[in-house]
Amino acid sequence: MLLMKVSTKIIKIKKQSFVMTNQRALFWENEKALVLSDLHIGKTAHFRKNGIALANQVFENDLQRLSVLIEYFQPEKFIVVGDLLHAGDNSEVAEFCAWKDQFPHLEFYLVEGNHDRISKALDKKLCLHFKAEKYEFEDLVFIHDYQKKQEKFQITGHIHPGYVINSPVKRIKLPCFVVTDDQLLLPAFSEFTGLDTKNLPKKGKFYVFTDAEIYEI
């Protein structure tokens, strides 16, 4: 099992309690749901298929981190806010399905993202409990990309947010959560993603994290 520290910070949104973690995921206490975005299953396999040598260990580490978070929080639901997949069906999808079978008690929800091109055969293979363009709960809406005309508070992904810290030695980019008056932007769960430090919500509060801690900025 991957050794990792789980640091947490609780925030309240629309009378709901959410636990941010330094492991690129959120735990929704009221609904006992593990919430994350941009897992991008199959990305490394897609690169290998196209002649770019990448170790499968990247994806295996993502699954191990998920296993640790499930053990830590004991969720009843698993909500992916878009881009569960990267490029359709490939060997990593089969690996994910085998991993998923370890948790028969978990309900798997997918809010579809721009990469989630799911055929009928793949839909059957994934065995999801819920799949739609958005998931609404009271004053909240889970949707992959922010929508300006949305009335409810939005929990989104898609951007892969990052924050730049300029130290005397070097410029450091770190993943983060961003919270505004109408949006909670999730970090990309997969570590095999870039960080966008420019196209972020304005007037947001940043929760930047390292392998050890979460810092409010």
Side-chain angles (χ1 to χ4, degrees), residues 10-183:
I10 297 175
I11 58 172
K12 301 286 186 178
I13 297 172
K14 300 295 182 181
K15 299 181 181 179
Q16 301 292 313
S17 180
F18 293 96
V19 183
M20 294 184 293
T21 77
N22 65 324
Q23 298 299 330
R24 299 173 177 251
L26 187 76
F27 182 64
W28 183 8
E29 289 189 317
N30 307 67
E31 289 297 300
K32 296 182 179 178
L34 188 64
V35 182
L36 57 99
S37 181
D38 297 278
L39 186 52
H40 286 279
I41 296 167
K43 188 173 183 179
T44 52
H46 176 71
F47 274 60
R48 286 194 299 271
K49 184 179 178 181
N50 287 277
I52 301 173
L54 290 171
N56 193 49
Q57 190 62 42
V58 176
F59 178 59
E60 291 177 359
N61 285 346
D62 285 344
L63 292 184
Q64 287 182 44
R65 283 191 297 120
L66 279 177
S67 294
V68 171
L69 289 168
I70 289 170
E71 178 66 26
Y72 186 91
F73 288 110
Q74 295 293 305
E76 296 176 359
K77 295 178 183 176
F78 179 91
I79 302 173
V80 180
V81 190
D83 288 355
L84 170 68
L85 307 179
H86 182 75
D89 199 357
N90 61 29
S91 60
E92 286 184 4
V93 175
E95 190 174 344
F96 171 77
C97 290
W99 170 86
K100 178 175 167 287
D101 287 344
Q102 300 175 74
F103 309 101
H105 64 287
L106 265 180
E107 293 184 3
F108 280 76
Y109 286 49
L110 173 61
V111 174
E112 295 171 285
N114 53 297
H115 279 275
D116 293 315
R117 297 181 291 275
I118 300 176
S119 64
K120 289 184 179 180
L122 183 51
D123 192 10
K124 184 177 180 180
K125 184 176 181 179
L126 288 168
C127 292
L128 300 168
H129 293 84
F130 173 92
K131 178 171 69 71
E133 292 183 357
K134 60 184 177 180
Y135 171 55
E136 297 186 68
F137 181 92
E138 296 180 356
D139 294 330
L140 304 173
V141 59
F142 296 78
I143 192 165
H144 185 54
D145 196 10
Y146 178 79
Q147 293 184 353
K148 290 183 179 180
K149 296 182 180 181
Q150 178 61 244
E151 294 182 358
K152 295 186 176 183
F153 187 95
Q154 301 179 58
I155 297 178
T156 70
H158 186 57
I159 300 296
H160 308 177
Y163 190 88
V164 175
I165 295 176
N166 292 305
S167 75
V169 179
K170 62 179 180 178
R171 187 171 180 266
I172 304 170
K173 275 187 182 182
L174 293 172
C176 63
F177 296 84
V178 187
V179 181
T180 70
D181 290 341
D182 65 352
Q183 180 186 14

